[in-house]
Amino acid sequence: MKLVLKTAAIGLFVGVVAFAAFFIWIMRGTETEPEISDADKLRSNARLICRDEIARRLKDPDSADWGMKSGTWYATWPASINGSDISVAPEFRASNSFGARIISKWDCSLKADGQDLRLVNLREI
């Protein structure tokens, strides 16, 4: 009798685990990637252009820690869109001329023409 109960308990446990695994597999297949809006793509591209242009102006671009505020590189830099004007406020840590690591803040302005972006102004604050 004990053997039958143990076998039934093991069978029930295996059945529950199999059902849970099947349910998780089915639910995982229903997940969809969120759609990225055109505005988000524009902001992301603006951040990348600003980062590239800033890197060209740094004394030691390899020292730049672009993602100082987060683990997601430059993606958290504030970027706003006002009509065709895009403003990005880069802030990161990099080495200056003396080798000291400092926080560097910039003002980066771009003009949008559809999905094409043109740098209008870039200055260190």
Side-chain angles (χ1 to χ4, degrees):
M1 184 70 172
K2 287 184 180 182
L3 181 60
V4 171
L5 288 176
K6 283 184 182 180
T7 306
I10 291 172
L12 180 63
F13 176 75
V14 169
V16 168
V17 169
F19 177 76
F22 178 73
F23 181 76
I24 290 170
W25 180 74
I26 292 291
M27 292 309 293
R28 193 186 76 160
T30 62
E31 293 176 6
T32 58
E33 291 292 319
E35 188 67 29
I36 299 173
S37 71
D38 287 342
D40 285 340
K41 289 177 188 174
L42 207 54
R43 278 189 282 271
S44 181
N45 289 339
R47 290 178 182 116
L48 182 59
I49 290 170
C50 291
R51 187 205 66 98
D52 289 345
E53 289 297 324
I54 291 168
R56 294 177 46 203
R57 291 164 171 80
L58 293 176
K59 300 289 183 191
D60 183 7
D62 292 335
S63 73
D65 180 8
W66 303 109
M68 182 184 72
K69 287 185 169 183
S70 72
T72 56
W73 192 39
Y74 65 93
T76 60
W77 288 349
S80 61
I81 301 173
N82 185 8
S84 64
D85 297 328
I86 303 171
S87 297
V88 180
E91 184 176 332
F92 57 93
R93 189 178 303 277
S95 296
N96 64 10
S97 298
F98 303 105
R101 306 245 328 135
I102 61 166
I103 294 176
S104 186
K105 296 180 182 184
W106 293 69
D107 176 36
C108 184
S109 301
L110 302 101
K111 189 70 103 170
D113 181 16
Q115 288 296 319
D116 295 330
L117 297 172
R118 178 176 45 90
L119 184 67
V120 176
N121 183 37
L122 179 62
R123 66 185 176 89
E124 190 169 10
I125 307 173

